[in-house]
Amino acid sequence: MNNQTLLKKIANARRIVEFDSTKPVSDENWQTLLSVAQSAASSNGLEPWTLLQIDDRDLREKIAKDSPGMVKQLASAPKFIIFKKRKLTTDYKKHLMRAVHDMNEATYLKFQASFQALTHLLLDIDETAWLERQASIPLGQMLFAASLLDIDCCPMEGFFYKKVGKLLAKEGLLDLKTEQLGVAVAFGYRKENPERPKTRRPLEEILTVI
């Protein structure tokens, strides 16, 4: 793919409100997008997020009652996911470092100390803010990959977090003690083409070179 083709695909990417429900995302393309998220970078390899894929139409209708900003997407998108931010409990960090990344005990203890310094001294942010940053990485890569595959998508925050959180917890899909809701994303193919081309600020307005 040359540069012009890539930029054309990115320019064609839009926030889609209503999808063509008769055009499914192929299994191959969907597994590719999920693998893109799985392979995304994360600070210290902690991957503090999971994906909740909601195919069940009844559950989508329940969510839509408390989601005024994504009613049409829930009704029409072939694929719909919600990022869940995973709180960094000691058990979770130890599992990631020891079982997934194969750290020995001594290296793990050094990691614990360095991670505490990163979040509390260097970044000076709380865990919730850090989790938001981390979840944005796989989200961005999924959106970018979707545009390259000519799949339309729509990231959304138009839902009442507490109400939808309680609903998902009641359904056994969210652990309120260790998980927080993040952004939702719909994938599929646009029902109609936009009425006008995408407009953005010129590059010289957003870029400073020193």
Side-chain angles (χ1 to χ4, degrees):
M1 181 181 299
N2 60 39
N3 293 355
Q4 290 304 312
T5 300
L6 186 150
L7 290 174
K8 185 176 180 180
K9 286 179 177 289
I10 298 302
N12 186 57
R14 305 293 289 272
R15 177 184 178 274
I16 302 303
V17 175
E18 189 168 8
F19 293 82
D20 185 343
S21 59
T22 67
K23 295 179 65 176
V25 176
S26 72
D27 290 340
E28 181 181 11
N29 281 343
W30 184 238
Q31 289 303 315
T32 295
L33 290 178
L34 294 177
S35 295
V36 166
Q38 179 191 13
S39 301
S42 70
S43 179
N44 290 275
L46 282 167
E47 306 172 47
W49 51 269
T50 57
L51 297 176
L52 176 60
Q53 179 179 329
I54 304 174
D55 296 335
D56 185 271
R57 291 291 163 177
D58 290 336
L59 181 56
R60 286 198 190 190
E61 289 180 5
K62 292 178 182 178
I63 293 172
K65 293 177 181 178
D66 292 312
S67 306
M70 54 190 199
V71 173
K72 289 185 177 180
Q73 292 91 339
L74 279 162
S76 63
K79 297 296 182 183
F80 190 95
I81 64 173
I82 296 178
F83 275 85
K84 297 191 294 181
K85 299 169 289 183
R86 181 66 163 79
K87 294 182 181 179
L88 297 178
T89 61
T90 299
D91 287 344
Y92 177 74
K93 286 187 287 186
K94 192 164 188 176
H95 165 71
L96 260 291
M97 295 301 110
R98 298 297 304 277
V100 177
H101 300 311
D102 198 28
M103 277 188 181
N104 59 40
E105 184 67 20
T107 304
Y108 171 70
L109 292 175
K110 290 180 181 178
F111 155 77
Q112 278 277 67
S114 66
F115 182 74
Q116 287 293 105
L118 169 70
T119 53
H120 295 292
L121 300 178
L122 182 62
L123 299 181
D124 192 27
I125 58 176
D126 63 18
E127 183 179 88
T128 298
W130 185 82
L131 291 175
E132 291 282 359
R133 291 183 181 183
Q134 293 301 304
S136 70
I137 300 173
L139 166 65
Q141 292 197 189
M142 284 190 84
L143 299 181
F144 181 71
S147 67
L148 297 185
L149 293 171
D150 297 317
I151 297 172
D152 292 311
C153 51
C154 183
M156 297 160 290
E157 297 177 292
F159 57 97
F160 293 106
Y161 277 64
K162 289 184 178 180
K163 291 182 179 180
V164 174
K166 288 181 180 179
L167 168 63
L168 294 177
K170 185 177 180 180
E171 296 285 339
L173 299 171
L174 182 72
D175 184 344
L176 295 175
K177 293 182 179 179
T178 61
E179 297 176 313
Q180 302 170 356
L181 290 184
V183 68
V185 195
F187 294 88
Y189 299 94
R190 63 192 69 181
K191 187 173 183 179
E192 297 178 351
N193 286 320
E195 295 181 357
R196 62 190 185 91
K198 179 188 288 186
T199 53
R200 290 292 186 271
R201 288 181 292 163
L203 184 59
E204 57 268 21
E205 191 174 319
I206 65 172
L207 174 67
T208 299
V209 180
I210 301 174

